[in-house]
Amino acid sequence: GAVVSQHPSRVICKSGTSVKIECRSLDFQATTMFWYRQFPKQSLMLMATSNEGSKATYEQGVEKDKFLINHASLTLSTLTVTSAHPEDSSFYICSARAGQGHGETQYFGPGTRLLVL
Amino acid sequence: GESVGLHLPTLSVQEGDNSIINCAYSNSASDYFIWYKQESGKGPQFIIDIRSNMDKRQGQRVTVLLNKTVKHLSLQIAATQPGDSAVYFCAENVQTGANNLFFGTGTRLTVIP
């Protein structure tokens, strides 16, 4: 299957700092990328959807000024958690889809665990 | 969001037995469904998918069954192995709107050696 990578895999930062997480599709061009958040023992919660070259679409309740998403190329999307606080500590997972067609498979990255002290 | 849920939050099976993980969905407009496996500390891994014009699809050791009448989806794992221990999520794709996936709550499968 297609490969999606994330970097870093784990990050610890101080409260008030910003953290950038990269998501790359390694062997295909991702027209659409998704960012999810997952709390322990819970399901994945979609945060936002981004299409290459356009602004991200955020889900209700997700602050766009706090979670900045950039999808500048067909193989890279970044999520920046600005002015991070302890409640932002979570497992962040990206996924990528090659096309916008209905039913196309989403491939997930390995996730980034963020711990804000 | 859409409602995709699981009947059993945990499931323990003996190694070698078959496993059945169930999922209920609420939106009759959904026509594409995926099962993902998530191991601890990792991202979800695609297992198998099925479109609504089918009621059964088989992969390697896995079978997905879809019953559109009662909006129910199941994942069957044959000859379950310790490496199958993980959390399994079903996800549905809704035709209209943003064309996003909606995930169920997950079932933790534990395989007893």
Side-chain angles (χ1 to χ4, degrees):
Chain A
V3 179
V4 176
S5 70
Q6 278 183 245
H7 178 80
S9 59
R10 186 183 296 266
V11 58
I12 300 174
C13 69
K14 293 181 179 180
S15 185
T17 61
S18 295
V19 175
K20 180 185 283 187
I21 303 170
E22 292 187 350
C23 176
R24 294 180 185 272
S25 57
L26 299 185
D27 51 1
F28 68 101
Q29 292 186 325
T31 304
T32 308
M33 285 187 166
F34 305 83
W35 287 96
Y36 293 83
R37 184 173 182 177
Q38 186 178 33
F39 291 105
K41 299 184 180 180
Q42 293 189 23
S43 188
L44 282 72
M45 183 184 73
L46 180 65
M47 298 174 67
T49 302
S50 71
N51 292 302
E52 184 265 338
S54 60
K55 289 184 178 180
T57 301
Y58 290 81
E59 293 299 302
Q60 190 173 10
V62 179
E63 299 176 58
K64 63 179 181 180
D65 294 330
K66 181 165 186 65
F67 299 100
L68 301 178
I69 292 172
N70 183 279
H71 190 170
S73 78
L74 285 171
T75 59
L76 173 65
S77 176
T78 60
L79 168 67
T80 301
V81 183
T82 62
S83 186
H85 288 94
E87 58 266 30
D88 298 324
S89 298
S90 190
F91 193 49
Y92 292 88
I93 309 171
C94 74
S95 72
R97 187 173 68 196
Q100 297 185 24
H102 174 61
E104 295 214 29
T105 302
Q106 282 188 33
Y107 296 96
F108 285 81
T112 296
R113 187 161 302 282
L114 170 63
L115 176 61
V116 185
L117 301 177
Chain B
E2 305 304 327
S3 173
V4 182
L6 293 166
H7 295 310
L8 296 173
T10 61
L11 177 66
S12 296
V13 298
Q14 290 290 138
E15 181 178 358
D17 287 352
N18 297 333
S19 302
I20 299 176
I21 301 171
N22 296 302
C23 178
Y25 64 96
S26 61
N27 191 339
S28 57
S30 296
D31 67 351
Y32 179 58
F33 305 88
I34 310 173
W35 280 100
Y36 286 95
K37 171 186 180 183
Q38 187 179 28
E39 296 176 276
S40 181
K42 298 183 179 179
Q45 176 187 0
F46 173 90
I47 301 174
I48 192 168
D49 59 359
I50 189 168
R51 299 183 192 278
S52 62
N53 60 353
M54 303 172 69
D55 53 20
K56 180 179 180 180
R57 190 163 187 226
Q58 288 184 294
Q60 188 176 15
R61 282 201 308 120
V62 295
T63 300
V64 55
L65 299 178
L66 174 63
N67 185 330
K68 294 181 289 295
T69 302
V70 295
K71 295 198 280 290
H72 183 268
L73 193 69
S74 69
L75 176 69
Q76 300 178 3
I77 304 174
T80 314
Q81 303 169 359
D84 295 327
S85 294
V87 177
Y88 290 81
F89 293 97
C90 66
E92 64 175 318
N93 187 216
V94 184
Q95 276 185 311
T96 57
N99 193 17
N100 296 330
L101 286 179
F102 293 95
F103 282 81
T105 54
T107 292
R108 177 172 295 282
L109 174 66
T110 300
V111 181
I112 304 167

